[in-house]
Amino acid sequence: THFNLANVYFAVGNHHLAIFHYRLVNRIAPDFADGYFNLGLTLLETEDLIQALDAFIQYQKLSPNLKSDQVTTILKSLAKLI
């Protein structure tokens, strides 16, 4: 799947291809929260903070109870940087 492929690209440091495949995941399965979470992490790696913020906000909307402390910390940190 595109999600697994994106994870592999992320693991080997090819962030641009990882982003491409995470975005495909989000188009194909817009309710799959992990696609947004991983996209957010990858966008952080490329220092695209605004897009990362958007991805984490979407993740939080889809899964408000999962990883909530971690995502809240990330969102607060991003808000300070932007």
Side-chain angles (χ1 to χ4, degrees), residues 20-81:
F20 174 80
H21 286 281
Y22 287 130
R23 286 190 170 141
L24 279 177
V25 169
N26 295 340
R27 281 190 215 127
I28 294 167
D31 294 331
F32 181 58
D34 285 344
Y36 294 98
F37 185 82
N38 286 15
L39 174 61
L41 292 177
T42 309
L43 289 164
L44 286 177
E45 289 290 322
T46 64
E47 300 181 6
D48 189 342
L49 304 182
I50 294 173
Q51 296 270 337
L53 179 66
D54 291 342
F56 286 120
I57 289 170
Q58 186 61 31
Y59 172 83
Q60 196 171 45
K61 286 179 186 176
L62 293 171
S63 297
N65 299 320
L66 297 177
K67 303 177 189 171
S68 62
D69 292 339
Q70 185 179 8
V71 173
T72 299
T73 301
I74 291 169
L75 290 173
K76 286 180 182 178
S77 297
L78 283 171
K80 290 177 185 177
L81 295 171

